[in-house]
């Protein structure tokens, strides 16, 4: 991760380049001028996000109102992500508790019937969901938030299609993580409506059996040609 000083310096130098470009263009916000302003703001916003809650605003940007606002917005997003992280840890703990209860019940039932079980599936479910640190969670949550926004933009107001789009994007992202990290990432994605490939296939089959296409629409409402022979 880029250190906060480097980000602050990048935001300030980009802002300085923006001011120079603005003067050179005689106050006209050309594409280049706007791009520099947007980049400086985005960098300051990123800086605020990653430093929550451990740092105050760097002096390098503390005298530029526009960068102050972007940093503050990013800091607020970091605080919001921390709230979501706390909820994630609660969900993880709940999954762990339920998995242990299921494992105990399976062992008890096996003992009553005289069966031997080495490692019931539920017994290690919790161990497969290690908590991820706050910084990693923020990055994952931020990415999936953007994915969900993109899926929502493209879905044509069909929830089922939005879920399908989101699942495809999340599946592509999972390949970037080590196998032991993926269950934790999936747990984050589930709060946005993510379904596993098997769950998505089952949901689409249920819709098909009821006369709906993968977009969640019927013969009379789907504009995508799903019901054409």
């Amino acid at each position: 991760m880029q250190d906060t000083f480097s980000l602050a310096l990048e935001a300030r130098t980009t802002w300085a380049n923006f001011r120079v470009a603005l003067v050179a263009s005689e106050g006209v916000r050309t594409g280049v001028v706007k791009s520099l302003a947007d980049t400086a703001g985005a960098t300051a916003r990123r800086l605020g996000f990653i430093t929550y809650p451990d740092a105050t605003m760097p002096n390098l940007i503390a005298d530029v109102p526009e960068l102050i606002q972007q940093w503050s917005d990013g800091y607020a997003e970091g605080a919001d992500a921390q709230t979501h992280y706390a909820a994630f840890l609660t969900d993880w703990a709940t999954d762990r508790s339920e998995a242990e209860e299921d494992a105990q019940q399976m062992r008890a039932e096996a003992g009553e019937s005289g069966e031997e079980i080495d490692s019931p599936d539920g017994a290690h479910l919790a161990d497969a969901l290690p908590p991820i640190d706050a910084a990693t969670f923020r990055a994952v949550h931020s990415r999936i938030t953007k994915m969900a926004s993109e899926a929502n933009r493209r879905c044509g107001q069909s929830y089922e299609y939005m879920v399908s789009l989101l699942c495809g994007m999340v599946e592509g992202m999972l390949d970037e993580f080590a196998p032991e990290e993926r269950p934790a990432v999936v747990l984050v994605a589930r709060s946005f409506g993510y379904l596993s490939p098997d769950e998505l296939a089952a949901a689409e089959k249920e819709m098909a059996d009821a006369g709906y296409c993968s977009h969640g629409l019927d013969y009379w409402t789907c504009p995508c040609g799903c019901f054409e022979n």
Side-chain angles (χ1 to χ4, degrees), residues 33-57:
V33 172
K34 186 177 184 303
S35 177
L36 287 169
D38 290 345
T39 300
T43 304
R45 193 184 193 99
R46 171 67 178 162
L47 176 62
F49 182 84
I50 68 170
T51 55
Y52 176 87
D54 302 321
T56 56
M57 185 182 300

Side-chain angles (χ1 to χ4, degrees), residues 94-149:
T94 299
D95 284 345
R96 177 171 184 167
S97 176
E98 292 176 351
E100 290 175 350
E101 290 176 2
D102 290 344
Q104 290 175 2
Q105 182 176 353
M106 292 176 68
R107 285 192 291 267
E109 292 174 353
E112 292 175 359
S113 63
E115 297 178 4
E116 293 184 2
I117 55 173
D118 295 327
S119 55
D121 292 340
H124 300 298
L125 176 60
D127 295 335
L129 291 172
I132 54 179
D133 62 46
T136 302
F137 173 85
R138 291 179 200 169
V140 169
H141 191 275
S142 177
R143 286 185 65 183
I144 299 178
T145 296
K146 293 176 182 177
M147 290 177 182
S149 178

Side-chain angles (χ1 to χ4, degrees), residues 2-229:
Q2 191 172 6
D3 66 86
T4 55
F5 176 79
S6 295
L7 277 175
L9 183 61
E10 180 181 341
R12 186 55 186 252
T13 54
T14 305
W15 183 260
N17 289 334
F18 155 71
R19 297 298 302 174
V20 170
L22 186 62
V23 171
S25 66
E26 298 181 346
V28 178
R29 286 186 174 250
T30 63
V32 172
V33 172
K34 186 177 184 303
S35 177
L36 287 169
D38 290 345
T39 300
T43 304
R45 193 184 193 99
R46 171 67 178 162
L47 176 62
F49 182 84
I50 68 170
T51 55
Y52 176 87
D54 302 321
T56 56
M57 185 182 300
N59 291 331
L60 279 168
I61 66 170
D63 61 339
V64 181
E66 293 86 349
L67 298 185
I68 291 173
Q69 183 61 57
Q70 290 293 336
W71 186 93
S72 299
D73 290 346
Y75 195 84
E77 290 173 0
D80 185 59
Q82 185 64 30
T83 299
H84 287 296
Y85 180 61
F88 163 79
L89 292 180
T90 299
D91 290 342
W92 178 82
T94 299
D95 284 345
R96 177 171 184 167
S97 176
E98 292 176 351
E100 290 175 350
E101 290 176 2
D102 290 344
Q104 290 175 2
Q105 182 176 353
M106 292 176 68
R107 285 192 291 267
E109 292 174 353
E112 292 175 359
S113 63
E115 297 178 4
E116 293 184 2
I117 55 173
D118 295 327
S119 55
D121 292 340
H124 300 298
L125 176 60
D127 295 335
L129 291 172
I132 54 179
D133 62 46
T136 302
F137 173 85
R138 291 179 200 169
V140 169
H141 191 275
S142 177
R143 286 185 65 183
I144 299 178
T145 296
K146 293 176 182 177
M147 290 177 182
S149 178
E150 175 66 11
N152 189 59
R153 184 185 67 82
R154 294 168 50 193
C155 72
Q157 297 185 337
S158 166
Y159 175 77
E160 291 79 6
Y161 189 41
M162 184 277 290
V163 170
S164 178
L165 291 170
L166 174 64
C167 291
M169 288 186 276
V170 171
E171 286 297 319
M173 183 183 71
L174 287 176
D175 292 337
E176 302 173 18
F177 293 87
E180 62 272 16
E181 295 176 318
R182 291 172 190 168
V185 176
V186 166
L187 188 59
V188 177
R190 285 195 180 281
S191 66
F192 292 85
Y194 168 82
L195 299 175
S196 70
D198 288 344
E199 290 170 332
L200 183 61
E204 290 181 347
K205 182 180 184 304
E206 183 177 346
M207 287 192 297
D209 291 343
Y212 296 94
C213 67
S214 61
H215 302 105
L217 303 173
D218 60 18
Y219 174 86
W220 301 104
T221 57
C222 182
C224 301
C226 291
F227 296 92
E228 294 181 2
N229 294 326

